[in-house]
Amino acid sequence: MANFSNLFMIMFIINNFAATKAQGPNYLFVYCILENFTPNSTYQKNLRTLYSSLSSKANNSFEFYNTTVSGAVPDDTAYGMFMCRGDTPSDQCGACVQNATLTLSNKDCNSSIEGLIWYDQCMVRYSHTYFFSKLAKEPFKEYVSPTKQVYQETFNRTLLETLNKTADEAAKAPIGKKKFATEEANLPVFQKLYCLAQCTPDLSPQDCRSCLNLSINENVPRCCAGREGARVLYPNCMIRFELYPFYGSLSSPSPAPAGVTTTVGHESTTLEGLQFDLNILKDATNNFSPENLIGKGGFGEVYKGILVDGRSIAVKRLSTSSTQDFGMARIVDTNQEKGETKRIVGTYGYMSPEYVMFGQFSEKSDVFSFGVIILEIISGKKNTRFHDSYGEDLLSYVWRQWQDGTPLNPLDPKMKEKYHEVEVMKCIQIGLLCVQDNSNDRPSMVTVVSYLNNLSLELPSPHEPAFFSHGRFMDPKIRNDSSSSQSAKSSTLFSVNEMSISTFHPR
């Protein structure tokens, strides 16, 4: 389990350094009643006014809102509400509600007199009849993980206990108050269960608990018992459980420390910069304490640090004996997204093929390096030292096993049975997506973080990585060519200019 702990610690650090730009809302399901309204009717006009009102309130930091647009006759009156998930930041809440109202009005329910749409971050509901403060038992939707938990009896007992505890906490808030709660519980083999429950604030505590009880004690035993993750959605309430932390912090973000002023890269338009006062870094790393050491390279040592606002960072400290500043940091400006250089510097085995062969670098260069680290953690092997009987590097070996339908063959033998197949498969796939030969095929760092945070997401199929052998990168299309001279012409030697080897220390 130690290797995967390292992976997700790295993910957490990357999450703080990568773009924090809001992601598009994750669509779940929509329900539209079959009865339609007359085009260009008063009800349709009132519905458009309703959508505008909901979007406006969501963009003004409202987490829940219900309103009525009255008509001259009852059938012309439009009722509507939205609710954002309790841990959703206000900007993402507004974007989600706006997206939901556009989808309802222009696509899915564009002529229905009643509709409901659920996203991961929010829900929007409308009708021509009054539904506020009323418990609705239809429609409902269940989403279930395909993976089953090994320890069925223990897991199911802990699951129901924790879900009911979460529901009790969410339902105790009075009418009009936020009804949202999360709970965690320990499971066998160093696992944790994460649960979430929420009701619309217009429900009474009794109706909220009834709605959650329906989800937990009727839906879950039927659809989801023993599964490693699931969610149940009703018009008034929702529950979700996973074996990874899928919800965010409920506390407001703390102000950034002094000295954080710049932005880095195309994805970082909303990211605070990464320039810190030396005293801040000393405090974060306990004055570069040996206990915080997590790696060492030719340019210096890398330390784990904790900022005053709780964020984890990694700090590289230039070695006094090094004649090299930090590699690419000396050739990339803070406002530069991509570029070219004739001076190749960096760590052997982690640099992208376009950088090594042509001196081209971008944010996708770092994505490639991150992918190498993921595959190294999973396999317990270093890319720079790995050579199998086929003469392959680690990336090509993992790729061949993926293609042959034996993706778990590269798994570190020390892992033995202490892993979850779905989690490992996803991590291997993410690693292969990051090291694809074509930089345009690689995901952004923001997308990588979303993959790691939500293992239930459907990932694209990776393409072949560049083939590396004995100091050369080779085009995958030519790698199997029998002509050695042709292969030699298509490969480019590594420059040895300022290369370094990095070592990592387990934490």
Side-chain angles (χ1 to χ4, degrees):
M1 295 298 290
N3 282 354
F4 277 93
S5 297
N6 287 341
L7 172 58
F8 284 98
M9 185 179 79
I10 291 171
M11 179 211 74
F12 184 71
I13 294 171
I14 292 295
N15 193 20
N16 284 281
F17 284 155
T20 55
K21 185 167 62 178
Q23 298 296 291
N26 181 27
Y27 169 82
L28 297 177
F29 90 101
V30 66
Y31 168 81
C32 309
I33 198 168
L34 294 178
E35 186 177 350
N36 295 336
F37 55 74
T38 304
N40 299 318
S41 63
T42 302
Y43 180 72
Q44 184 179 32
K45 295 176 182 176
N46 288 343
L47 198 54
R48 289 172 179 165
T49 303
L50 178 74
Y51 288 145
S52 178
S53 177
L54 295 176
S55 295
S56 175
K57 289 295 182 182
N59 285 322
N60 283 282
S61 300
F62 280 70
E63 294 182 354
F64 170 80
Y65 180 69
N66 58 5
T67 188
T68 303
V69 180
S70 301
V73 297
D75 286 348
D76 290 337
T77 301
Y79 304 90
M81 75 157 56
F82 73 79
M83 178 181 71
C84 289
R85 205 173 81 180
D87 60 333
T88 302
S90 58
D91 59 335
Q92 293 185 30
C93 174
C96 183
V97 173
Q98 184 178 32
N99 196 80
T101 55
L102 287 172
T103 302
L104 288 172
S105 60
N106 297 328
K107 185 180 177 183
D108 290 317
C109 299
N110 59 356
S111 61
S112 298
I113 62 172
E114 184 177 318
L116 167 70
I117 190 168
W118 270 101
Y119 288 82
D120 198 22
Q121 299 90 343
C122 73
M123 61 83 69
V124 173
R125 183 184 179 191
Y126 75 91
S127 178
H128 70 303
T129 58
Y130 185 88
F131 61 86
F132 304 148
S133 303
K134 294 182 178 180
L135 176 59
K137 297 183 179 181
E138 291 182 348
F140 67 85
K141 190 73 172 179
E142 301 162 346
Y143 288 87
V144 182
S145 167
T147 308
K148 287 187 176 182
Q149 176 55 235
V150 176
Y151 305 94
Q152 288 281 317
E153 184 176 347
T154 302
F155 177 78
N156 289 339
R157 182 174 62 252
T158 304
L159 174 63
L160 291 178
E161 289 176 355
T162 310
L163 282 174
N164 277 295
K165 182 180 179 182
T166 312
D168 289 340
E169 185 66 24
K172 71 180 185 181
I175 294 178
K177 298 297 183 180
K178 185 174 182 177
K179 293 178 170 61
F180 175 84
T182 61
E183 292 286 344
E184 300 174 10
N186 292 320
L187 292 169
V189 198
F190 308 105
Q191 290 182 310
K192 290 195 80 170
L193 174 68
Y194 300 85
C195 297
L196 179 150
Q198 185 171 12
C199 294
T200 56
D202 60 326
L203 286 188
S204 67
Q206 295 77 13
D207 282 345
C208 174
R209 192 60 181 90
S210 295
C211 187
L212 294 173
N213 182 69
L214 190 65
S215 303
I216 296 168
N217 298 312
E218 292 192 25
N219 290 80
V220 169
R222 183 185 68 249
C223 73
C224 322
R227 300 290 179 172
E228 294 193 349
R231 66 183 89 188
V232 180
L233 307 172
Y234 278 88
N236 298 108
C237 70
M238 60 92 69
I239 63 165
R240 183 178 179 186
F241 66 88
E242 304 286 354
L243 295 187
Y244 58 89
F246 61 91
Y247 44 78
S249 170
L250 303 183
S251 59
S252 300
S254 303
V260 182
T261 55
T262 63
T263 59
V264 184
H266 175 67
E267 296 182 330
S268 308
T269 54
T270 62
L271 178 64
E272 299 148 345
L274 304 179
Q275 293 183 352
F276 298 89
D277 291 339
L278 178 60
N279 288 335
I280 292 177
L281 298 181
K282 283 184 176 180
D283 290 341
T285 60
N286 192 21
N287 199 21
F288 301 100
S289 166
E291 288 76 18
N292 285 16
L293 182 67
I294 57 175
K296 185 176 182 180
F299 300 115
E301 298 171 328
V302 180
Y303 296 83
K304 179 186 177 182
I306 306 293
L307 297 175
V308 292
D309 62 3
R311 289 182 296 167
S312 294
I313 60 171
V315 182
K316 176 170 278 191
R317 188 185 192 190
L318 180 63
S319 171
T320 56
S321 61
S322 174
T323 59
Q324 299 171 323
D325 181 357
F326 280 97
M328 289 186 69
R330 292 188 293 176
I331 60 175
V332 183
D333 294 331
T334 56
N335 61 351
Q336 192 173 4
E337 297 175 6
K338 59 183 180 180
E340 295 186 7
T341 181
K342 295 180 180 178
R343 201 157 144 267
I344 308 301
V345 296
T347 302
Y348 178 80
Y350 299 91
M351 296 184 294
S352 62
E354 70 274 9
Y355 175 60
V356 173
M357 292 192 288
F358 307 113
Q360 297 173 348
F361 56 85
S362 69
E363 62 190 42
K364 297 299 183 70
S365 305
D366 289 335
V367 172
F368 181 92
S369 304
F370 183 71
V372 175
I373 292 174
I374 290 180
L375 297 179
E376 286 186 335
I377 290 172
I378 289 170
S379 65
K381 308 287 186 182
K382 289 187 68 69
N383 188 38
T384 53
R385 300 174 186 171
F386 182 90
H387 294 286
D388 66 356
S389 58
Y390 289 81
E392 298 170 314
D393 66 329
L394 177 62
L395 312 187
S396 299
Y397 169 68
V398 174
W399 168 256
R400 179 166 59 83
Q401 298 298 330
W402 180 270
Q403 287 291 90
D404 291 347
T406 54
L408 295 179
N409 277 359
L411 187 63
D412 187 344
K414 294 179 182 178
M415 295 293 292
K416 297 183 179 178
E417 301 303 320
K418 295 182 179 179
Y419 67 90
H420 294 282
E421 185 172 319
V422 170
E423 182 180 279
V424 174
M425 292 279 287
K426 284 287 186 181
C427 289
I428 292 174
Q429 189 170 357
I430 291 168
L432 287 173
L433 287 170
C434 290
V435 300
Q436 293 177 104
D437 182 49
N438 189 333
S439 62
N440 293 325
D441 292 335
R442 298 172 208 151
S444 67
M445 206 64 236
V446 172
T447 302
V448 171
V449 171
S450 71
Y451 288 161
L452 290 169
N453 276 326
N454 189 349
L455 295 179
S456 65
L457 288 178
E458 193 70 30
L459 273 59
S461 298
H463 297 129
E464 189 170 10
F467 178 58
F468 169 79
S469 179
H470 304 295
R472 298 174 183 266
F473 263 120
M474 305 174 73
D475 190 321
K477 295 185 292 293
I478 306 176
R479 96 181 226 195
N480 292 323
D481 198 299
S482 58
S483 171
S484 58
S485 61
Q486 189 173 4
S487 296
K489 291 178 181 179
S490 65
S491 62
T492 301
L493 278 171
F494 263 124
S495 164
V496 294
N497 183 21
E498 301 193 47
M499 289 290 181
S500 65
I501 300 293
S502 291
T503 57
F504 300 95
H505 305 289
R507 300 293 296 166

